[in-house]
Amino acid sequence: MTRGGQGLARVAVVVRAGAAPLWWLGVLAAGIGLPAPGLTGRRIGVLAGAALFVLAAAAVAGGRRKRYAALAAAASKAGRHDVLQDRAVTVRNWRRGHRWWLLLAFLAALGSAFAAPAAGGMLLAGCGVGLWLKSAWLGRREQAGEALLWVRVDWLRDGAAHPAGKRVKAYRSTGIAAGDAAPGGARRKSPTLV
């Protein structure tokens, strides 16, 4: 990065990066834990898991929305020397930085099956769905404002990988066509040739 340029990662991509691992690890943990009788019994475990799934999805999707909205409203334009990080790099960095937390969450969800079958896995899957919902909400904001939101990469390092955490002072914005990810952080669909 030259002349004061900084590395920028898409906010929605950082949010969305944990959705798939949490979902699939949760589904796997719930599937493995379902046959276990558990202390509560299978029926109560699944019902408790369903309630935890809904609560986790709602809590994660709605968490820190005011902070995201405030940072988005005050976003400044990205400079011409700023470097926009590819979607794949952002996802890989987030998952690499959180791999041990993901493993511990998976093991905890598996262990909880001895108390309430499938409940821990459904809770984990609900967190993944909540992240997808939050990234979709960010995508709608980006489309409405016709500006993609970016955060400095150095503010996401050293275990502080939350795009609305205390270390994050401001967002940057670019036009809607910048970068290789669509609004909301999904892969940008390649145009079909007719």
Side-chain angles (χ1 to χ4, degrees):
M1 288 166 281
T2 59
R3 299 184 191 177
Q6 293 165 326
L8 301 178
R10 276 286 300 286
V11 174
V13 173
V14 177
V15 169
R16 190 183 174 100
L22 286 171
W23 166 260
W24 287 113
L25 290 174
V27 168
L28 184 61
I32 293 171
L34 189 60
L39 297 175
T40 62
R42 195 170 294 128
R43 182 172 175 269
I44 292 174
V46 170
L47 289 174
L52 288 171
F53 178 91
V54 171
L55 289 173
V60 171
R64 294 190 172 202
R65 280 201 180 189
K66 287 184 180 178
R67 172 89 170 132
Y68 281 100
L71 288 166
S76 60
K77 282 225 178 250
R80 32 182 319 198
H81 298 292
D82 288 334
V83 178
L84 306 181
Q85 193 174 75
D86 289 343
R87 179 187 184 278
V89 174
T90 303
V91 169
R92 185 177 64 238
N93 289 345
W94 189 96
R95 291 180 183 171
R96 188 176 292 158
H98 288 79
R99 63 185 178 273
W100 296 113
W101 290 109
L102 291 168
L103 178 63
L104 286 173
F106 175 68
L107 293 175
L110 275 181
S112 72
F114 293 107
M122 293 174 83
L123 171 65
L124 210 56
C127 291
V129 169
L131 289 175
W132 265 317
L133 293 172
K134 181 175 282 184
S135 69
W137 171 75
L138 283 166
R140 288 191 298 274
R141 283 192 66 94
E142 287 176 329
Q143 285 179 318
E146 295 186 352
L148 302 180
L149 300 172
W150 301 79
V151 62
R152 281 174 45 177
V153 172
D154 58 322
W155 286 339
L156 301 177
R157 290 193 182 131
D158 302 324
H162 197 291
K166 288 182 181 178
R167 285 182 62 178
V168 177
K169 305 290 186 269
Y171 287 160
R172 304 268 177 91
S173 66
T174 62
I176 206 81
D180 64 344
R187 279 191 191 95
R188 198 178 289 278
K189 293 176 182 164
S190 56
T192 55
L193 299 173
V194 180

